[in-house]
Amino acid sequence: MNIRSSSLSVLMMLSSLVCNAQDPGSRILMTIDGKNTEAGEFIRMYAKSLDTEKNLTIDQYIPQFVLFKLKVADAIHLGYDSTESFRKELEGYRNQVAQSYLTDNSTKEKLLKQAYQRSLKEINAWHILIGMNPDPSPDDTLKAWKKAIDVRTRILNGEPFEDVARSTSDDKSVLTNGGNLGYFTVFQMITPFENAAYSMKKGEISEPVRSPYGYHIIKVTDIRASRGKVRVAHIMKNAPPGADDATVKKAENEINEIYALLNSGASFSELAASKSDHRQSAEKGGQMDWFGTGEIISEFSEAAFAIRDTGKYSKPVRSPYGFHIIKLLEKRPPPSYEEARPLLESRLNQTYLNSISRKTFIDKLRKDYNYTVNRQSFDWFVNNTDTLIIQGLKKYDKTSLPAGNIYSFANQKLTNQEFADYIEKRGFIIDTKDSLFFITTSLEIRSSDHIFDYENSRLEMKNPEFRYLMNEFHDGILMFEISADKIWNPVSEDTSGLKKYYEDHKNEHLTQPGISAKIYTLRSTGNQDLLSTYFKKYSGKKDPDSMLRKKFNRKNDSALVINEGTWMKGQDGTIDALRWVKGEQSFAYMGNPSIIVIKELIDPVPLEFNDVQEEMIKGFQESLEKAWAEQLNKKYTVKIDNVVLSEIRRKFGQ
């Protein structure tokens, strides 16, 4: 239910706060129903409570903490922790939280800051690709490298980069761009290419740069500050690559006609809707999504960023796909690091860079846990692995498989038999013919997973903060589950119980006292005696009100106003200040002479259920809470170590 979901969100939010108090270790503060609670867990929870407005002392807070633990004990006693839904929910929280403990956060943070610094620059580069197969032989690699060196030498000797690119590059886009990639920024090129480009100076020609596609020769022609992002609308006439001259000329004439219409005052959005060939944006008056450098074709992007003022539009712009008129709608500067971090992190997680922080983390664990490879076993696998085994078409000869382990660390190991089974079950995943590379890579993958899983299994033991956090999730889920059954569901489902609670407590919620009265007000200051005189004169007559109106309202100016009705306490301060007794009283009402005739006193009565439903639900819930707390205190034994509690008090200066 909603109450539970929102409460869990609050718990998760609070759990992210860092406790300022020092962890006293695993000393036991209290035992409830045989389950121990460490002093460190209590200190962490209490320290977080100090961030709230309550600011309770330890002696004020501990009854709340004990009651929380009693509810958890009751949930465990009733088997709430054994349900599949509980286990899945707790596992989901653990998997999320554990990620921050299972990575080298310092390395990741460096990569994020590096990515942010790169995002503040835009690079214009040309390149030539000397292509290779994904798994080239040593001879093919050497041949490609020599060709790349020859290509670089030709450029250094003065041949135009574009001419060399068109005659040598294996990148098919060279046919249309001559090797010019335009401007790009972080995460828009494969990582080896990006790393090389961002390490170069303007005008520099790179050494051959190896990537999965082959060798690249890169020339950086410009480096500029990021221009942020823009949002534009455009009108387009198609003239795609390969279009004949007649098609191009027709599109150019049409875009010029549209430009003339715009200059004469025609609506940009209406022309986009009716005349643009880019139907996806035409349906929205030509509007496009936000984009930055490198996210759209260079000719379009450069023209869009060149528009200085919002609301202005460009002259017709030629791109490889046709002609465009671009209208600037909004500009947005580059974000701060804090603003950019979530997006950078999501992009980082999508690249192999994220594996760097994991690899750094696992490499540290290898040292900490004394990871050791059995060289004899390793050599046996290298010597007995052929292409059929690599391709998953053959199994090892188990009769010659040596006994022992392929590696060991901490108190863990992987036997040679287990490693052989692992290779045979994985099948053809590593694309290579080299047995040394295959075994090295397979062992790296298997041992990394093993070390990672082992570390994951020890998080609660190694990290008190993680252990306490998981205790919070564990206890929080149980507390909310049992509270739903004990409190929230009965409140919403037990209508008879709620009605009974209303009947028992309705006299605590009464209407205000009131009066039934008639008020005579003469809109003429200083005439109280005059009003009183004529009120007494006509009060015994048959229709005194009509006679009073005739007396004072001769010019039909409503000088005398007569109001009859009920007034409840708190409704009118002047009326509240009068003596609430039957009969007449003279008084000043809004500065005017007035007489009130109180006919009846209205006693307070219980409010209707619908008028106090919210208060009744809250009260009913509190009554259930109170009854449950009394049951828990009778049902379970609570033992508190007062020596440890005294130490905690001293820690907080209490």
Side-chain angles (χ1 to χ4, degrees):
M1 59 189 294
N2 290 335
I3 295 176
R4 180 175 177 280
S5 299
S6 61
S7 299
L8 271 180
S9 299
V10 171
L11 176 63
M12 293 177 69
M13 177 186 71
L14 289 176
S15 296
S16 66
L17 300 177
V18 177
C19 176
N20 292 325
Q22 295 180 352
D23 180 8
S26 57
R27 296 183 65 186
I28 304 303
L29 170 64
M30 66 180 65
T31 303
I32 297 178
D33 193 35
K35 188 177 187 302
N36 294 331
T37 297
E38 295 178 6
E41 180 183 349
F42 175 81
I43 288 174
R44 184 175 185 276
M45 295 289 285
Y46 176 67
K48 290 190 302 182
S49 77
L50 297 178
D51 293 326
T52 68
E53 296 180 357
K54 295 181 179 180
N55 204 24
L56 302 175
T57 66
I58 287 176
D59 289 341
Q60 291 170 328
Y61 178 74
I62 203 162
Q64 297 181 11
F65 185 81
V66 169
L67 180 58
F68 173 77
K69 286 292 186 178
L70 283 170
K71 292 178 180 179
V72 173
D74 204 28
I76 293 173
H77 181 77
L78 296 173
Y80 281 75
D81 62 333
S82 63
T83 65
E84 184 178 358
S85 62
F86 167 78
R87 289 196 297 269
K88 283 186 176 181
E89 188 169 3
L90 184 62
E91 183 181 3
Y93 288 133
R94 191 187 187 283
N95 290 339
Q96 293 177 37
V97 176
Q99 294 305 311
S100 61
Y101 291 84
L102 296 171
T103 187
D104 182 2
N105 289 317
S106 61
T107 298
K108 185 174 183 179
E109 192 64 25
K110 289 178 183 177
L111 292 171
L112 286 170
K113 289 182 177 178
Q114 179 193 69
Y116 177 69
Q117 291 302 318
R118 289 182 177 182
S119 74
L120 299 179
K121 293 182 180 179
E122 298 171 356
I123 293 179
N124 187 291
W126 296 62
H127 96 127
I128 296 169
L129 173 65
I130 307 303
M132 288 190 299
N133 293 325
D135 184 28
S137 66
D139 289 342
D140 290 340
T141 301
L142 180 61
K143 182 179 178 181
W145 183 81
K146 286 182 176 179
K147 183 178 178 180
I149 291 293
D150 291 341
V151 166
R152 182 174 185 270
T153 301
R154 288 172 59 185
I155 296 168
L156 293 176
N157 288 338
E159 289 190 52
F161 194 100
E162 182 175 353
D163 292 348
V164 179
R166 290 188 182 278
S167 63
T168 62
S169 182
D170 293 320
D171 184 349
K172 294 181 181 180
S173 69
V174 74
L175 298 175
T176 56
N177 63 23
N180 184 4
L181 300 173
Y183 284 92
F184 59 86
T185 187
V186 68
F187 296 132
Q188 293 178 354
M189 298 293 175
I190 54 175
T191 303
F193 191 103
E194 178 188 305
N195 289 340
Y198 273 94
S199 68
M200 296 170 63
K201 298 178 181 178
K202 182 178 177 179
E204 190 175 350
I205 307 295
S206 74
E207 296 285 349
V209 176
R210 179 71 182 271
S211 83
Y213 302 104
Y215 285 103
H216 305 262
I217 304 298
I218 306 169
K219 178 182 179 181
V220 172
T221 57
D222 191 26
I223 302 173
R224 71 187 182 195
S226 171
R227 298 178 297 178
K229 288 183 178 288
V230 293
R231 191 170 69 86
V232 303
H234 81 131
I235 301 170
M236 177 182 180
K237 300 309 293 184
N238 284 335
D244 56 38
D245 292 342
T247 300
V248 174
K249 189 63 178 177
K250 180 175 180 294
E252 185 176 14
N253 290 337
E254 290 176 344
I255 204 72
N256 286 332
E257 290 173 1
I258 294 171
Y259 185 67
L261 290 172
L262 288 171
N263 288 337
S264 65
S267 166
F268 193 100
S269 59
E270 291 178 3
L271 287 175
S274 61
K275 296 185 178 295
S276 180
D277 291 337
H278 189 246
R279 299 316 305 167
Q280 184 177 357
S281 64
E283 295 174 355
K284 298 179 287 186
Q287 293 188 29
M288 302 176 66
D289 293 332
W290 287 93
F291 64 85
T293 292
E295 296 176 351
I296 201 167
I297 53 175
S298 179
E299 295 84 353
F300 190 99
S301 175
E302 293 301 306
F305 277 102
I307 305 172
R308 292 186 177 182
D309 301 319
T310 57
K312 301 295 184 181
Y313 53 85
S314 70
K315 293 181 178 180
V317 175
R318 181 74 162 101
S319 82
Y321 302 98
F323 295 88
H324 315 260
I325 300 172
I326 307 168
K327 180 180 180 180
L328 179 62
L329 301 178
E330 293 181 82
K331 278 187 176 180
R332 192 161 63 194
S336 66
Y337 177 68
E338 289 73 22
E339 293 169 334
R341 196 182 191 285
L343 177 61
L344 292 174
E345 188 166 15
S346 69
R347 296 295 299 275
L348 184 67
N349 288 336
Q350 295 171 24
T351 71
Y352 92 95
L353 291 176
N354 189 52
S355 67
I356 294 176
S357 58
R358 170 169 162 149
K359 185 177 186 304
T360 304
F361 177 71
I362 291 176
D363 286 346
K364 180 179 181 301
L365 292 176
R366 289 184 195 277
K367 294 179 182 179
D368 293 344
Y369 290 140
N370 193 27
Y371 171 79
T372 305
V373 175
N374 184 324
R375 196 68 207 182
Q376 289 183 337
S377 297
F378 178 85
D379 290 342
W380 184 91
F381 277 101
V382 172
N383 295 329
N384 288 271
T385 301
D386 55 25
T387 54
L388 292 177
I389 289 178
I390 292 173
Q391 294 173 10
L393 302 175
K394 177 184 171 183
K395 297 182 181 297
Y396 289 108
D397 178 8
K398 301 299 171 58
T399 60
S400 64
L401 183 68
N405 307 318
I406 183 69
Y407 67 72
S408 62
F409 68 92
N411 60 351
Q412 303 290 299
K413 63 183 184 299
L414 188 76
T415 67
N416 293 331
Q417 179 66 58
E418 289 170 332
F419 187 55
D421 292 341
Y422 167 76
I423 290 174
E424 292 170 356
K425 290 176 181 178
R426 284 188 85 230
F428 186 49
I429 293 178
I430 303 172
D431 188 8
T432 183
K433 298 176 183 177
D434 186 337
S435 63
L436 175 60
F437 177 79
F438 177 79
I439 294 300
T440 301
T441 304
S442 297
L443 191 61
E444 170 77 14
I445 295 171
R446 181 65 183 90
S447 62
S448 294
D449 289 343
H450 194 168
I451 293 171
F452 184 87
D453 292 342
Y454 177 70
E455 181 69 6
N456 191 9
S457 70
R458 301 181 72 245
L459 284 180
E460 282 84 353
M461 179 170 41
K462 286 184 65 175
N463 298 279
E465 181 71 16
F466 181 81
R467 179 169 68 252
Y468 299 149
L469 182 55
M470 290 313 302
N471 282 345
E472 283 187 55
F473 284 126
H474 173 277
D475 293 354
I477 296 169
L478 291 178
M479 194 275 285
F480 292 128
E481 290 286 354
I482 194 169
S483 294
D485 291 341
K486 296 281 188 178
I487 307 298
W488 303 325
N489 291 343
V491 167
S492 60
E493 297 172 1
D494 185 5
T495 55
S496 61
L498 184 58
K499 290 290 186 181
K500 183 179 185 305
Y501 182 84
Y502 167 73
E503 291 297 328
D504 292 341
H505 295 83
K506 64 182 180 181
N507 289 327
E508 299 170 11
H509 302 272
L510 303 176
T511 62
Q512 290 291 342
I515 55 174
S516 172
K518 184 182 291 187
I519 299 175
Y520 300 81
T521 300
L522 183 60
R523 296 175 179 174
S524 175
T525 58
N527 285 314
Q528 184 68 56
D529 290 343
L530 184 64
L531 176 62
S532 297
T533 297
Y534 282 98
F535 182 82
K536 291 179 180 179
K537 180 178 180 179
Y538 297 137
S539 60
K541 306 296 182 180
K542 183 177 181 181
D543 189 358
D545 289 358
S546 296
M547 298 177 73
L548 285 168
R549 287 191 180 96
K550 288 180 181 180
K551 173 62 182 178
F552 291 106
N553 296 339
R554 293 175 179 176
K555 298 179 181 180
N556 197 27
D557 55 2
S558 299
L560 179 68
V561 177
I562 303 174
N563 290 316
E564 185 172 10
T566 57
W567 282 263
M568 311 307 292
K569 184 69 73 174
Q571 183 177 338
D572 188 309
T574 303
I575 306 300
D576 288 350
L578 298 175
R579 291 178 295 109
W580 282 23
V581 294
K582 289 184 178 182
E584 64 184 69
Q585 298 177 52
S586 296
F587 71 108
Y589 195 47
M590 292 184 287
N592 297 309
S594 303
I595 295 174
I596 184 170
V597 179
I598 299 177
K599 299 178 180 179
E600 288 185 37
L601 300 179
I602 303 173
D603 294 327
V605 296
L607 290 165
E608 295 293 329
F609 175 79
N610 290 338
D611 295 328
V612 291
Q613 183 173 356
E614 185 175 340
E615 292 86 345
M616 288 298 160
I617 289 175
K618 181 180 179 182
F620 185 37
Q621 179 175 315
E622 289 174 351
S623 70
L624 293 175
E625 284 268 12
K626 183 179 179 181
W628 185 25
E630 291 174 354
Q631 293 172 6
L632 292 173
N633 280 298
K634 293 177 181 178
K635 187 175 182 180
Y636 300 109
T637 301
V638 178
K639 296 179 181 179
I640 298 177
D641 189 324
N642 287 315
V643 174
V644 177
L645 183 59
S646 295
E647 292 179 6
I648 295 173
R649 289 195 191 100
R650 286 195 294 271
K651 183 181 289 292
F652 287 93
Q654 298 178 19

